[in-house]
Amino acid sequence: MSRKKPIFGSWIVPVAVVAVVVWLAIRALASNSASEAPTQQLQGDFEKVVTAKGLPEQILNYEAMTISFNASTHNPNWVAWELTRDEAKGEEPRSNKFHPDPNVPGCASPDDYRNSGFDRGHMAPAGDMKWSQKAMEESFTMTNICPQAKALNTGAWKKLEEKCRLWADRDSALVIVCGPVPGDPIDMYIGTSQVVVPQRFFKVILAPYANPPRGIGFIMPNERVEGGMQRAAVSIDEVERVTGHDFFSALPDSIENVIEAQCNFNLWSTLK
C-alpha cells in the first residue's frame, strides 16, 4: 500500500526557497539603491567672491579663511571660509587675543574699539576655528573684525553662528561668506583709525554636498534684530543685489540659479 504524499510536500520547499531568494534580492536592491542614491558631487572654489565694483580691496589668504580687506573703511569687505563637520567639533580653547596684521595697511588696532560702545565683532567666528591653534589665532586678527552693536553680536548674529555649526555637522560642510553691507550711508566712525561702523551685515551660506545642494542668505541691522535670525533670512540673490558682490560663481549656472533663489529658513532648521 503506497503512502500518500503530504498535501504540501510537492511545492512547499521550492516556494520557501523562492521566497528567500526574492527577499535577498529585494534587500540587495534596496542596499544598492541607498548607496547609489543620486548625489551631485559639486567641485570648485566656492570661497571665491567677486567683490562689488569700486571697493578697494587687498586679498588676504589666511590658513583658515580668505579676506577681502578694505583699507579705506578699516573693515573687511567680506570674509569667506569652509566649515566642515570635523572642524565644527574642534576643541581648541578660545584665544581672546585681538591683534592687528602688521602686513596690512589700514588694519585697525584693538584700541580703536576701546570705550567706543561697539564690540569687536568677528566675521569668521572663533567658534568655527577650534580645529587648530593657528586658525583660532587668525580669527582674532583685526582684519576679521568689524564694529558690532552688542545686541547684534551677542544676539541674532551669535545664534546664526551656532546654527551654522549644527548645519555643518548635518551636511558634512558649509561654505560661508559674511561682511558689512557696502554702500550704506556712513555716519559713524570709531577710534584713532576712524574705523567705519557698518549699518548692516550680510551672511550667505552654501551646503554644496547636501542632497540636493542648498543655500540661504541673511541681512541684519547693526542692532537688535527684531524677530531674530529667521526674520533676517533672504535669498542669496537678494544679498547679491544689496551688496553688489557675486557669490558661488564656481557653481554650474543651472545649480547656482536654483540655490541662490532659495529662501527657506524652516527647511534649513527642520532637516535632519
Side-chain angles (χ1 to χ4, degrees), residues 211-269:
N211 187 21
R214 58 181 170 271
I216 195 168
F218 296 85
I219 298 177
M220 298 185 182
N222 197 2
E223 59 188 27
R224 182 178 180 274
V225 180
E226 297 294 336
M229 59 182 167
Q230 182 171 357
R231 289 286 298 274
V234 297
S235 68
I236 296 172
D237 279 340
E238 176 62 11
V239 177
E240 290 184 330
R241 185 191 69 79
V242 169
T243 64
H245 302 321
D246 182 12
F247 308 105
F248 311 131
S249 58
L251 289 169
D253 288 343
S254 59
I255 297 176
E256 181 183 8
N257 292 339
V258 172
I259 289 175
E260 295 193 349
Q262 297 171 352
C263 178
N264 191 336
F265 182 83
N266 288 332
L267 177 64
W268 277 78
S269 290

Side-chain angles (χ1 to χ4, degrees), residues 21-233:
V21 170
V22 170
W23 178 74
L24 290 173
I26 291 173
R27 281 195 52 143
L29 181 60
S31 175
N32 289 340
S33 297
S35 63
E36 295 172 8
T39 57
Q40 292 167 297
Q41 296 298 322
L42 300 180
Q43 295 182 349
D45 183 5
F46 301 130
E47 295 177 47
K48 179 183 177 182
V49 180
V50 179
T51 307
K53 291 182 180 179
L55 288 180
E57 73 171 341
Q58 178 182 354
I59 297 296
L60 309 174
N61 294 304
Y62 295 103
E63 178 179 298
M65 57 197 170
T66 302
I67 295 178
S68 166
F69 187 74
N70 188 327
S72 65
T73 63
H74 311 286
N75 288 319
N77 292 317
W78 50 262
V79 180
W81 69 103
E82 181 184 54
L83 179 63
T84 67
R85 175 181 292 133
D86 289 343
E87 290 169 350
K89 298 177 180 179
E91 297 181 353
E92 180 69 26
R94 185 179 172 91
S95 166
N96 284 327
K97 295 179 180 178
F98 292 93
H99 57 278
D101 187 330
N103 299 314
V104 179
C107 182
S109 163
D111 289 339
D112 286 317
Y113 286 70
R114 197 178 304 278
N115 300 320
S116 69
F118 289 91
D119 286 357
R120 302 179 184 100
H122 285 76
M123 295 297 96
D128 288 8
M129 303 300 168
K130 293 181 177 181
W131 49 275
S132 89
Q133 181 181 359
K134 184 175 182 181
M136 176 61 70
E137 291 172 352
E138 286 179 347
S139 73
F140 283 87
T141 307
M142 295 303 295
T143 50
N144 181 45
I145 304 299
C146 289
Q148 282 190 325
K150 183 172 289 295
L152 174 65
N153 190 34
T154 62
W157 192 257
K158 179 181 179 182
K159 289 180 180 178
L160 180 55
E161 292 173 342
E162 293 168 347
K163 275 287 188 184
C164 285
R165 288 188 279 276
L166 294 176
W167 294 338
D169 181 42
R170 179 192 65 193
D171 296 329
S172 79
L174 299 179
V175 179
I176 307 169
V177 187
C178 70
V181 172
D184 286 343
I186 299 173
D187 57 10
M188 190 177 300
Y189 303 84
I190 62 170
T192 303
S193 300
Q194 292 289 279
V195 181
V196 170
V197 177
Q199 291 196 14
R200 294 182 292 172
F201 292 90
F202 74 85
K203 181 168 285 188
V204 292
I205 304 164
L206 171 68
Y209 311 121
N211 187 21
R214 58 181 170 271
I216 195 168
F218 296 85
I219 298 177
M220 298 185 182
N222 197 2
E223 59 188 27
R224 182 178 180 274
V225 180
E226 297 294 336
M229 59 182 167
Q230 182 171 357
R231 289 286 298 274

